Amino acid sequence: MKLHLKSSKQLNIYLPLITSFILLFAAGLWLTDVIYNSIDYKIIDLAYSQAYADNRSVKAKNQVVHLNITDSTYDYLHSNYLSRSFLAEINRSLGKLEPAAVMYDLIFAFPGNPSDDSLFASSLSEAKFYLPVGPKLENTLAKAQSKNAEILPAELASRYLLPLKTINEGSPYFVSNFSVQYSPFWQNCYGSGHIGIKSDPDGIFRHIPLIVRYDSLYLPSISLAMILDYYNIPFDSVRINFGNEIVIPYRRESLLTEPLRIPIDETGSCFIPFRNRWENMGEMIDIQNFHEYSRNIEHFNSLSEIIEGNFVMIADVSTGISDLGSTPLEDDVPLIVVHSAMTDAMLNNSFFYKWSKEKVILIFLAGCFFIVFGSLFKRNYPIYISSVAGFCLFQIYLFSQFNNAILLPAATLNISLALVFILSIVSLQVIGKKQEVFIKNAFAMYVPDKIVEILVENPGMLKLGGEERIVTMLFSDLTNFTGSSEKVSPKSVVGLLNSYFTEMTEIIMNENGIVDKFLGDGILAEFGAPVYCEDHADRAVSAAINMKKRLQSFNANGEKAGFSDIGMRIGINSGNVILGNIGSKKVFDYTVIGDNVNLAARLESVNKVYATEILISESTFSLINKSKYFYRPIDIIQVKGKTEPIEIYEIFSFSNDLIEEKLKDLFKKYSEAIQQLKRIDLEQAKHSFELCLEIKPDDVPSALLLERVNGYINSGEIINNIQHVLRNK
């Protein structure tokens, strides 16, 4: 097939201009931090919230239990101070319930009552308790902290504060200052990690640094530390590839069955996969209630089912605490939700992955290629259609990627491609304005508007020829009009016909059909041309029913003008036709030709045989949404010019229209009779057709087929071919 490009003069201006802009834009994406900007994240937040609302958020095993210190806790203690002896009791009770790990989201930085401190310190050995480090995080190497300062005691430092070998340097956060636990508590706790988090520039907490750097050493987050211990993986075996992933390797002695890969950015931060709002984040128990339940044997057994083997997080969520922040799902929530969500994610191996900058630019260039490629051809209209369709499909792709846990910079890509598209269109409009003006001036006076618009977008159509396409043809004709018109003046005939054509054309165009031509008092219309639509058959049938309804009001006006009651016959067929400009080199018409057009016209005439108003072919019937219509099969006929018989159907109305019960019974019984004929059950078919005539004595199709069946029964002929039985001779 020969491709028709724009003129070389147009392309010599357009291509250098658009190419320069695209390369400049791609360089800007590479050299700046515009990718994954605040607008990108706002769109991600929107998708996140919608996924939560639709119950498509990240799923979890609910292995995290929250013990919350609330306002009621302080009322329970009759104090505004959290007694460490009370916490010691909580710890001992937890130890009996055998949790996988217990994390305190609290810094016990200073000594308290010596007796209470002693009880609390000793209770930390009852289970795997984790006490956190509270770091102050900086983007550059920390200078305020002495290199010899102790973050962790030696035993914990040997496990969690290590000079790891990383695949690349990255840009991890540095610890410039930190809050640590009171030394005696360090001695008895099982593990530790940092609880440092930083919000994005817009104040939303979306990322958590899984590792931070102190001098040349690395410290894991407390959630990562707990998971490493849970799976029996030492911290120094973890592989870190900044901007890509943290890999927790599979080891024979570990509980992992395969490596755990956690996506991270250049800072070592992971996008937090929040699975729920705070109030729905798994099992939550006020700590004073836990204290009471643990002292009751019945409640203790229930607690065992909740706690055993799970991760327990203890945090102060009472009024006035400073540890609040906003997440993509909600505002002003306790930030323990960050550690809870991250722990769940690592337990379920359920993370969100980001496209790399290289992939974003590659997708941008690919989108630009299709925009530019489409703009090279003489047709302009398909550029708009394909671009809008591509935009919609791209949005669907973006959200499908989100549902597959992949985050894309939607705003960056959409805005970038939109700017390229706009510049491309503006350039083409300016460059091609002279040609467009010429075509409109030359043809607008005598070619229909719809054709003019197509010619403007595709000047190559100004020649003879067409294309083969499946469309639906509607052929209508009036009955009793010729006789009535002889009784009134020609002026009245023309006036009534113009009114009729106006009303029927409106119905056809409302269904995206086009009126091909008027043939006396008949109409030939096509659906699915010149612009194709998948539901062209449904649109044609809907138009036919509405034309039938509109004729009733038309008849009321016609009676006033002296016309008798006018009827309508409509034939509809779907199939391959030749569609395009047909005629001579100087005079041509946009129309359709082919056997399938003729069949629609013949079906219109067949209505006279069966006294029906709308008949459709089996090809149209196979394409329509049958639940929309009230219909019945009529016969299998062989029309002139066709060697193979075709099954035809009567369309009476829409299925939701008001239909008499008597008519419903008739159509049902008639359809049963047709099925009996197809099974060569002549006696039963005869009985069914007789019942049809009892319901409606003047039903012509029932009378015709009953006569045909009686003929075969009386002749005693052996019938083997159902088409022979039903064929209208």
Side-chain angles (χ1 to χ4, degrees), residues 500-525:
Y500 167 77
F501 285 143
T502 299
E503 293 188 31
M504 298 305 149
T505 298
E506 180 183 355
I507 292 172
I508 291 168
M509 294 181 68
N510 284 341
E511 294 294 341
N512 289 344
I514 62 170
V515 175
D516 189 308
K517 55 179 64 70
F518 300 114
L519 305 166
D521 55 18
I523 300 173
L524 172 60

Side-chain angles (χ1 to χ4, degrees), residues 281-298:
M281 286 290 289
E283 193 73 41
M284 289 197 180
I285 307 172
D286 281 6
I287 200 166
Q288 74 277 5
N289 293 335
F290 175 83
H291 182 254
E292 290 295 327
Y293 296 157
S294 65
R295 298 160 70 181
N296 182 299
I297 185 63
E298 293 182 4

